Amino acid sequence: MKFRMTLNHIEPVTHDTHHLVFDRPEGFEYSPGQGVELRLLKDGWEDEGRPFTPVTLPHEPTLEFVIKSYPDHHGVTEQIGVMKAGDEVEIKGPFGAISDQGPGVFIAGGAGITPMIAVLRKRLHDHGTLAGSTLVFANKTEADIIWRERFEAMKGLRTVFVVDEPGAGVPQQRLDRDYLRQFVEANRLCYLCGPPSMMDEARQALHDLGIKDDHIVEEKM
């Protein structure tokens, strides 16, 4: 189904990421972790749909997104970064295989954090704690880390941040087998979302650590 929405509010989260707030359309139902296809109702952009994941929960009155812009691409995310209150969009969906399957290790890269936000918020709302869950969040630079303070404030959640750049305030580290083994054990449930190359490396590392595909929650291509 398609739903039309008007932007209520937009604010920066990081140097290239924005938080967008819409009223939740009547009749739109979804599960935390699912995504939608979003189209800008703006001349020349109506046919340029892109997938994004709401970070709000189904019982909340708003539908909110945290979206990273890529100005060098001159595409949809660049246009989203310059939206203003009153601008309109259309969404279609929901879709997606990521959902709350229980406590586990949440492995995210860059903008792939958004489904994790939704699932972690759901678990915190439902259980009052995220005890038994670990977030391993990889980014290019420390300045790219989305929602760092919010994650650190989530009750019971163990947070681990790594980056590609040297000399940052968090470790420079790849998500390889030797690194992930400290968080992952046999039959551990793992959530995975991020850029394809990062997911390929992390998935192989999980397989090497004895994690089967039925214990990896990710989008099915």
Side-chain angles (χ1 to χ4, degrees), residues 53-64:
T53 304
V55 299
T56 35
L57 302 183
H59 71 273
E60 295 176 317
T62 56
L63 198 63
E64 304 180 19

Side-chain angles (χ1 to χ4, degrees), residues 50-181:
R50 295 292 185 276
F52 299 107
T53 304
V55 299
T56 35
L57 302 183
H59 71 273
E60 295 176 317
T62 56
L63 198 63
E64 304 180 19
F65 300 85
V66 175
I67 297 177
K68 186 178 183 70
S69 293
Y70 299 89
D72 56 325
H73 292 182
H74 303 296
V76 172
T77 62
E78 180 187 33
Q79 294 297 312
I80 287 174
V82 296
M83 288 180 69
K84 298 179 176 59
D87 288 348
E88 293 186 313
V89 303
E90 181 183 83
I91 61 169
K92 183 170 66 173
F95 55 82
I98 296 179
S99 64
D100 179 16
Q101 302 292 320
V105 181
F106 292 77
I107 303 169
I113 192 64
T114 52
M116 312 296 191
I117 292 175
V119 174
L120 289 169
R121 292 194 66 233
K122 176 188 182 298
R123 292 198 56 76
L124 188 59
H125 174 265
D126 291 348
H127 304 284
T129 180
L130 290 169
S133 289
T134 298
L135 172 66
V136 182
F137 188 14
N139 284 276
K140 289 184 178 179
T141 73
E142 192 170 6
D144 292 321
I145 300 175
I146 297 168
W147 269 36
R148 181 175 181 176
E149 294 80 9
R150 295 198 191 191
F151 290 129
E152 291 173 333
M154 289 183 176
K155 184 178 179 180
L157 180 65
R158 179 185 182 186
T159 55
V160 180
F161 305 105
V162 299
V163 294
D164 295 338
E165 68 172 353
V170 298
Q172 179 189 18
Q173 179 63 54
R174 297 183 66 86
L175 299 183
D176 55 23
R177 177 186 60 186
D178 290 339
Y179 184 72
L180 290 177
R181 71 167 64 250

